[in-house]
Amino acid sequence: MKILVTGAAGFIGTNFVYYMLDTHPDYRIIAYDALTYAGKIENLQQAMPHRNFSFIKGDIRDRETVAKTFAENKPDMVVNFAAESHVDRSIENPSIFLETNVMGTEVLLEAAAIHGVQRFHQISTDEVYGDLPLARPDLKFTETSPLRPSSPYSASKAAADLLALAYHRTYGLDVTISRCSNNYGPFQHEEKLIPKTISNALSGKTIPVYGTGENVRDWIYVKDHCRAIDAVIHRGRSGEVYNIGGNFEISNIKLIKMILSFLNAPEDLIEFTADRKGHDLRYAIDDTKLQNELGPIAISPFAEKLKETIEWYR
């Protein structure tokens, strides 16, 4: 089995590469990444010696390079992690998010259809559903929840999902989509909440918190996410969307204080700032479909894996 992993040098892509090499050592993993600020070739250093691993530097928007990659490697599956993913950056410069997340996905889908790829898996996000009210903890996103993206980032991911489903219906391409809650773990870029909090706390720098910090997120350990993706690409039904959740909801401010406590760092490092434009209030995933059809998918204890993550960054 040959799997093309796009965005392989980014946070989740890197973890997925290592997971697949460990779990399916006979599979050939072809890593593809443009190596932007968020993708580092150093992340894949330990994979380089593996006999079934290869790396290609390329942009998913580059039709010529993508076509050459498909023609020469003939992948059986594509798992598309490649994306611009930081909400703040999307608010400042929406166009690059549309170019990469929408047009780049279309380039990959077209190549997959032309070259007869057995399965195209699109990595999406729970942010395509918009947000939920803080006062309704009973509400969770299901696969049939309406798409109500709040930011240019989440809108671009929703568009990519719809494109993938259109390729399934119109061209018969075998497509699956997974929408996951917030990930944490090794290799995450320091602009994200958990690594930024760890890094700033270790350096004695202030930790910026939007608004009052009461916004709630559902968190999943990145390797649990990889395990769920593995289940979807092998056993998921074509044309279906699967939610992947960690079933651990916590407010941003409580999470930051939890990290500071683990590091024995003072809470006066916290600095409240003006709230993000269009800031989503709460995310919560209902992963019943995944667990019933493809599970059970084990979920790691949050506190335990958060401590491991802190030690990795330390």
Side-chain angles (χ1 to χ4, degrees), residues 23-51:
T23 309
H24 303 283
D26 293 335
Y27 283 20
R28 184 181 164 206
I29 305 298
I30 306 131
Y32 186 97
D33 201 289
L35 299 179
T36 63
Y37 79 95
K40 300 177 182 178
I41 193 63
E42 292 82 5
N43 290 351
L44 297 171
Q45 205 166 31
Q46 294 174 26
M48 293 298 180
H50 199 288
R51 63 185 176 86

Side-chain angles (χ1 to χ4, degrees), residues 226-295:
C226 293
R227 192 180 306 112
I229 295 168
D230 187 15
V232 174
I233 64 175
H234 286 99
R235 305 194 300 279
R237 290 182 289 130
S238 181
E240 293 292 321
V241 175
Y242 293 89
N243 282 349
I244 302 173
N247 296 307
F248 186 87
E249 292 182 51
I250 188 172
S251 68
N252 291 342
I253 191 64
K254 286 182 180 178
L255 173 57
I256 290 167
K257 289 181 178 180
M258 190 176 183
I259 294 170
L260 293 176
S261 174
F262 285 155
L263 288 169
N264 294 314
E267 290 187 5
D268 60 11
L269 289 175
I270 295 171
E271 181 179 73
F272 293 98
T273 63
D275 207 356
R276 169 192 282 165
K277 294 178 181 178
H279 201 177
D280 287 334
L281 294 174
R282 173 177 167 257
Y283 302 146
I285 283 284
D286 182 339
D287 63 355
T288 302
K289 178 179 176 179
L290 174 80
Q291 296 292 347
N292 286 348
E293 287 190 20
L294 310 177

Side-chain angles (χ1 to χ4, degrees), residues 25-273:
D26 293 335
Y27 283 20
R28 184 181 164 206
I29 305 298
I30 306 131
Y32 186 97
D33 201 289
L35 299 179
T36 63
Y37 79 95
K40 300 177 182 178
I41 193 63
E42 292 82 5
N43 290 351
L44 297 171
Q45 205 166 31
Q46 294 174 26
M48 293 298 180
H50 199 288
R51 63 185 176 86
N52 281 335
F53 176 83
S54 59
F55 177 79
I56 299 167
K57 182 179 179 181
D59 193 315
I60 62 171
R61 298 172 297 174
D62 184 343
R63 288 186 188 274
E64 185 176 338
T65 303
V66 167
K68 182 180 178 183
T69 298
F70 275 76
E72 293 181 352
N73 293 277
K74 297 178 173 58
D76 301 299
M77 288 189 185
V78 176
V79 182
N80 181 30
F81 292 95
E84 294 285 345
S85 66
H86 194 49
V87 173
D88 288 346
R89 288 177 182 265
S90 81
I91 294 171
E92 295 168 6
N93 182 19
S95 61
I96 186 63
F97 285 74
L98 299 179
E99 292 168 14
T100 299
N101 299 356
V102 183
M103 296 308 300
T105 299
E106 188 276 330
V107 170
L108 292 173
L109 287 164
E110 184 71 10
I114 290 171
H115 291 275
V117 166
Q118 295 174 22
R119 167 147 292 180
F120 185 102
H121 184 69
Q122 174 70 7
I123 302 295
S124 189
T125 169
D126 59 357
E127 294 186 46
V128 300
Y129 298 122
D131 63 355
L132 297 166
L134 294 175
R136 290 291 307 276
D138 56 308
L139 295 179
K140 292 189 175 186
F141 298 131
T142 70
E143 290 83 357
T144 58
S145 296
L147 302 185
R148 297 188 303 109
S150 304
S151 68
Y153 160 62
S154 54
S156 68
K157 292 298 287 184
D161 288 3
L162 295 176
L163 263 177
L165 293 173
Y167 265 77
H168 169 71
R169 177 161 181 173
T170 302
Y171 303 108
L173 184 63
D174 187 323
V175 166
T176 49
I177 297 171
S178 57
R179 295 173 179 154
C180 192
S181 53
N182 283 36
N183 281 231
Y184 69 99
F187 300 107
Q188 191 170 25
H189 193 277
E190 287 185 8
E191 69 185 0
K192 302 290 187 172
L193 178 62
I194 288 180
K196 177 181 278 189
T197 299
I198 296 168
S199 177
N200 284 20
L202 289 172
S203 305
K205 297 178 182 177
T206 58
I207 299 162
V209 180
Y210 284 126
T212 61
E214 296 302 323
N215 306 68
V216 171
R217 300 293 181 260
D218 175 40
W219 291 90
I220 186 171
Y221 186 53
V222 65
K223 293 178 184 177
D224 296 338
H225 183 193
C226 293
R227 192 180 306 112
I229 295 168
D230 187 15
V232 174
I233 64 175
H234 286 99
R235 305 194 300 279
R237 290 182 289 130
S238 181
E240 293 292 321
V241 175
Y242 293 89
N243 282 349
I244 302 173
N247 296 307
F248 186 87
E249 292 182 51
I250 188 172
S251 68
N252 291 342
I253 191 64
K254 286 182 180 178
L255 173 57
I256 290 167
K257 289 181 178 180
M258 190 176 183
I259 294 170
L260 293 176
S261 174
F262 285 155
L263 288 169
N264 294 314
E267 290 187 5
D268 60 11
L269 289 175
I270 295 171
E271 181 179 73
F272 293 98
T273 63

